[in-house]
Amino acid sequence: MTKAKKKHTGLVLQGGGALGAFEYGALTRLYEEKNFSPSAISGVSIGAITTAVITGTRNPRENLDKLWERLTVPGAPFMSSFGNPGMYSINPSLFLFPFAMTSYYDTQLLYKTLGDLVDLDIINNSDTQVILTSSNIREGTLDWFSNKPDPDDDRYKNKDGKIKYEHVVASGSLPPGFPITHVNNTPYWDGGLLSNTPFQPTIKALESLHNEGVDLEMIIFDLFPKKMEEEVSNMQMVNNRMLELIFSNHFSQDAKLFDKIRSVQNLVVFMNEQLQKLPAAEKKKVDKIIREEHGETLDKVLNYKTIRKVCVNYESHESSSGGSNFSTGALNHRKETGYNIVDEMLRNGTLAF
């Protein structure tokens, strides 16, 4: 007899290029826990690639190792500028038709990596809800691709519930480095341009799993530092620091909004508890006034199951070129950092499964 689940866990995997090795280390430690089994994962950019790699296989830890083995670029950090064997190569148009090109790199190598590591049948029949996000260039919207889409939610763009390789690539098509990815004739760029912390899809997925006696938890992996200690001294650092500021600011705003909504919910619950303590006649009178104006909203708030938010932060003072540094030393450092932080959180009870 299968034991009933006591907690539904959702993961939110940010984008950040090579900084995704921190998520690699953190997830490696999480999958060492025998009871760890996420109910939902939303990912963007490198987070979308990671999501596909861990849900499109029977062996998530082993598949993560294979992914980052392919993404490692031996030698000095700048060698990643000339290509990455598991993700991108220099766009030939750079030498032939530079004025007509729309990206510096080509992403066919990423399709090859996904084809080798991700079984689409497994991901599309997984018990875990997968949501990948991408920026719709034409409409200016953040579109969702999922193996379990809500047919009544227009944000889901693959109503058939089939994740495809182009959905993963679209989520990581960060300009001007990577080219536009077309999905059903719609042009897409990296989802991080609109939201690099796609926790809304995870919240929606967890809400659909709400039942009594089951806790809901959302784990967010925050890859981008808000502060830097060095001076911006070259164009690569200019580009990387610009993205860091954009992405970290989006996360701060989204996290504050999440906390504010939870605070309002807690206030409504508290006020309703106080209402129940009033004398019967007065309680009936006040309750009637509230329900005539806000009855439906009140019921929704009172029936809502609180989602606990846990952030796993990459607190490192490495240079602003971190997102493009796929060198062996840098990736090993991030993996080890992610592993150790989650290990400490598990030992002190911040995380438990």
Side-chain angles (χ1 to χ4, degrees), residues 122 146 178 320:
I122 293 177
S146 176
F178 294 165
S320 272

Side-chain angles (χ1 to χ4, degrees), residues 28-41:
T28 297
R29 179 63 186 89
L30 285 175
Y31 276 105
E32 290 178 358
E33 297 293 297
K34 64 178 181 179
N35 294 324
F36 176 69
S37 177
S39 299
I41 309 176

Side-chain angles (χ1 to χ4, degrees), residues 141-157:
T141 57
L142 186 68
D143 292 352
W144 301 359
F145 302 103
S146 176
N147 60 348
K148 301 177 188 297
D150 179 349
D152 298 321
D153 191 330
D154 290 337
R155 290 172 295 187
Y156 292 98
K157 298 304 178 182

Side-chain angles (χ1 to χ4, degrees), residues 16-316:
L19 297 179
F22 174 80
E23 294 173 334
Y24 166 33
L27 289 167
T28 297
R29 179 63 186 89
L30 285 175
Y31 276 105
E32 290 178 358
E33 297 293 297
K34 64 178 181 179
N35 294 324
F36 176 69
S37 177
S39 299
I41 309 176
S42 59
V44 59
S45 200
I46 191 65
I49 296 171
T50 300
T51 299
V53 165
I54 60 179
T55 56
T57 180
R58 307 293 183 196
N59 301 291
R61 286 170 56 192
E62 180 181 322
N63 227 31
L64 277 172
D65 289 338
K66 291 178 179 178
L67 171 66
W68 286 94
E69 190 176 298
R70 286 181 178 233
L71 297 183
T72 301
V73 180
F78 68 82
M79 293 300 295
S80 301
S81 300
F82 299 102
N84 183 301
M87 189 183 295
Y88 58 88
S89 57
I90 293 178
N91 184 351
S93 296
L94 180 64
F95 309 104
L96 300 175
F97 309 103
F99 298 108
M101 71 180 191
T102 58
S103 68
Y104 296 117
Y105 298 103
D106 179 271
T107 50
Q108 288 305 306
L109 290 173
L110 178 55
Y111 281 99
K112 175 68 166 59
T113 294
L114 294 172
D116 290 343
L117 300 182
V118 179
D119 187 322
L120 294 179
D121 286 335
I122 293 177
I123 195 173
N124 288 321
N125 291 286
S126 174
D127 291 334
T128 300
Q129 180 169 356
V130 171
I131 313 99
L132 311 178
T133 62
S134 299
S135 298
N136 185 323
I137 300 172
R138 188 175 293 136
E139 300 296 330
T141 57
L142 186 68
D143 292 352
W144 301 359
F145 302 103
S146 176
N147 60 348
K148 301 177 188 297
D150 179 349
D152 298 321
D153 191 330
D154 290 337
R155 290 172 295 187
Y156 292 98
K157 298 304 178 182
N158 62 324
K159 300 299 185 181
D160 61 356
K162 302 297 183 182
I163 293 290
K164 300 176 182 178
Y165 297 129
E166 53 262 40
H167 298 150
V168 185
V169 177
S171 183
S173 297
L174 183 65
F178 294 165
I180 294 169
T181 298
H182 286 83
V183 177
N184 296 329
N185 297 318
T186 300
Y188 285 99
W189 271 334
D190 193 298
L193 294 173
L194 294 178
S195 176
N196 199 50
T197 313
F199 63 73
Q200 286 189 344
T202 298
I203 290 174
K204 182 176 176 63
L206 291 176
E207 287 176 344
S208 70
L209 299 170
H210 171 213
N211 53 68
E212 293 299 326
V214 178
D215 292 329
L216 304 178
E217 181 176 75
M218 177 172 63
I219 305 175
I220 300 173
F221 296 87
D222 184 16
L223 302 181
F224 286 92
K226 295 177 180 60
K227 299 180 179 179
M228 66 176 294
E229 297 180 346
E230 60 183 345
E231 294 296 323
V232 174
S233 57
N234 58 56
M235 286 304 295
Q236 184 182 48
M237 292 180 69
V238 168
N239 183 67
N240 286 322
R241 186 55 182 164
M242 176 189 69
L243 293 175
E244 285 178 357
L245 292 173
I246 293 172
F247 292 159
S248 64
N249 186 52
H250 282 177
F251 172 67
S252 297
Q253 292 177 346
D254 290 344
K256 287 178 181 177
L257 178 60
F258 178 90
D259 292 337
K260 184 177 292 186
I261 291 172
R262 294 297 170 263
S263 296
V264 172
Q265 179 201 3
N266 292 336
L267 175 62
V268 172
V269 172
F270 172 76
M271 293 178 67
N272 186 68
E273 291 173 349
Q274 302 310 305
L275 171 64
Q276 306 311 312
K277 297 177 182 179
L278 294 175
E282 189 175 351
K283 172 182 175 294
K284 184 177 181 180
K285 180 181 179 181
V286 175
D287 189 61
K288 181 181 179 181
I289 295 173
I290 293 174
R291 291 206 163 272
E292 284 179 350
E293 296 291 332
H294 307 289
E296 184 178 348
T297 301
L298 178 63
D299 288 337
K300 285 183 179 180
V301 173
L302 294 179
N303 291 324
Y304 187 81
K305 179 80 172 180
T306 299
I307 299 175
R308 177 172 176 258
K309 181 187 70 177
V310 179
C311 290
V312 182
N313 300 305
Y314 180 42
E315 298 174 352
S316 177

